[in-house]
Amino acid sequence: MANPSFKLEGIVTTVLTPFTPELKVDYGSLQREIQAAVDAGSSGFLVPCLASEIAHLTYDERRELVRATAEVAKGKAAIIASINAPTGKERLTLLEDFLKNGADGANVMLDYTTNDQYLRDIREIDDTRPPFLILQDVDGAGDGLKDELLLACFDQFESVVGVKVEVKNNNPKYTRLLAATEGRLNISSGKGNEQLIELLDRGVQVVMPSGLFEIFNGIYSRYASGNRDGAKRLFYAALPIIAYTRQDGTINRAFHKRYLQETGIFRTALTRETAYYDAVNEAYTRELIDLARSIAENLDQY
């Protein structure tokens, strides 16, 4: 049975990796990013992850992202490390290394072949007694891992406390899993932030966006305090920005890096990935950054 003491709610920020003009990781900018998110009320950080350009980071850089995040946020917000490796040995090495460098727990993505194989792989990790595990359920074309398998992991392994759902049609799955566990399974939304109010209405406990720290935390805090109308007004005001950034991962990272540079948190908006971002993107981004800044500066109106 999952650890009953685990509690995580609110905005868990997916960490963007800032780079110097020489395309080295800019840890000073990174720590300003983490501090700004903490100050805005983020309850946790997912690092390293897709938003971090994880495929373009070395092993040492991934470990240092965790360490630098923990240096700022340890004890103030949950630090969730992403574990994704092809073998059990590599997964355990990653987990041990990230925990030593300040992670509080892990978000684990495993390849699936059979239920028995998946349960064996989770058991291997659970046997090391990690503080907590969140299972990554990803399927852009279908419904992802079967509910029965996710519920079996939750029932059998003490470390498994939640699921980060990123499937074709998230919302029914959120409702089914929460109903099956009477709300005890921690559900993270990794996709669908453009339906944020609906996610919260369905009982999703954790939302994992990039950037816009004041806005996302402002929406969540209003909703959590019972001010759904205020949360809705703030969400609707920001929806053009959210919809634009959610259309594609590279656009999401490019926009938020430009916003963080504009607000003095990042030194550059550079990326290691190859991204299509033309003059039209740049012009529209300028408009949306102006909108985001205006909203953030006038939160008391919502």
Side-chain angles (χ1 to χ4, degrees):
M1 180 64 68
N3 186 344
S5 66
F6 179 83
K7 186 176 178 64
L8 182 62
E9 296 176 338
I11 301 300
V12 170
T13 295
T14 56
V15 175
L16 297 154
T17 304
F19 295 108
T20 69
E22 299 76 30
L23 283 181
K24 295 181 179 179
V25 177
D26 182 347
Y27 293 103
S29 291
L30 174 76
Q31 292 191 317
R32 287 193 293 275
E33 174 188 6
I34 303 306
Q35 188 63 60
V38 168
D39 290 345
S42 290
S43 60
F45 296 92
L46 182 65
V47 59
C49 56
L50 285 178
S52 313
E53 298 174 60
I54 190 170
H56 302 278
L57 300 173
T58 67
Y59 183 89
D60 287 346
E61 287 171 336
R62 296 177 193 184
R63 184 184 61 236
E64 283 299 297
L65 282 185
V66 173
R67 183 203 59 76
T69 300
E71 193 171 277
V72 175
K74 191 72 171 179
K76 304 171 186 173
I79 299 156
I80 306 167
S82 296
I83 305 295
N84 183 8
T87 70
K89 182 178 179 180
E90 290 172 285
R91 286 190 288 270
L92 295 181
T93 298
L94 277 172
L95 179 60
E96 180 181 12
D97 210 359
F98 287 156
L99 289 174
K100 284 181 178 177
N101 280 276
D104 294 307
N107 181 79
V108 180
M109 183 173 177
L110 299 176
D111 292 332
Y112 172 87
T113 54
T114 67
N115 284 4
D116 287 344
Q117 160 267 318
Y118 193 91
L119 289 167
R120 282 196 304 270
D121 287 346
I122 294 296
R123 181 175 291 107
E124 182 178 43
I125 303 172
D126 182 71
D127 283 346
T128 69
R129 298 293 182 263
F132 66 81
L133 298 177
I134 295 170
L135 307 182
Q136 179 106 28
D137 181 21
V138 179
D139 186 351
D143 199 38
L145 298 168
K146 296 293 186 183
D147 293 13
E148 294 77 11
L149 177 59
L150 295 170
L151 294 171
C153 291
F154 181 62
D155 287 337
Q156 293 180 32
F157 306 121
E158 184 176 2
S159 64
V160 175
V161 298
V163 179
K164 182 187 177 199
V165 180
E166 295 178 287
V167 301
K168 184 178 180 180
N169 192 1
N170 289 316
N171 295 340
K173 194 163 194 177
Y174 298 144
T175 295
R176 293 196 309 268
L177 292 173
L178 287 167
T181 61
E182 298 179 332
R184 293 179 296 113
L185 180 64
N186 193 269
I187 299 293
S188 300
S189 168
K191 175 186 170 188
N193 295 335
E194 59 271 36
Q195 286 89 41
L196 179 53
I197 300 299
E198 181 185 354
L199 304 185
L200 298 176
D201 284 345
R202 288 181 180 275
V204 170
Q205 299 102 325
V206 175
V207 180
M208 294 192 179
S210 304
L212 299 180
F213 314 127
E214 303 95 338
I215 293 173
F216 278 116
N217 279 291
I219 295 168
Y220 182 83
S221 65
R222 283 162 177 75
Y223 190 98
S225 68
N227 183 9
R228 185 181 183 278
D229 286 344
K232 189 170 66 174
R233 288 195 301 273
L234 180 52
F235 171 65
Y236 286 173
L239 191 53
I241 310 165
I242 297 170
Y244 179 71
T245 59
R246 296 303 298 172
Q247 65 182 309
D248 176 79
T250 57
I251 286 177
N252 182 63
R253 291 181 283 275
F255 173 86
H256 288 298
K257 286 192 169 192
R258 283 160 173 77
Y259 181 75
L260 290 169
Q261 182 185 32
E262 175 81 12
T263 53
I265 294 171
F266 280 8
R267 283 198 292 160
T268 79
L270 294 174
T271 177
R272 286 181 180 171
E273 66 185 352
T274 300
Y276 180 80
Y277 216 74
D278 64 12
V280 176
N281 291 113
E282 294 289 359
Y284 192 47
T285 292
R286 179 67 266 164
E287 294 179 10
L288 292 179
I289 286 175
D290 289 343
L291 174 60
R293 296 195 72 168
S294 175
I295 294 170
E297 291 165 3
N298 294 280
L299 287 175
D300 56 354
Q301 296 182 7
Y302 300 94

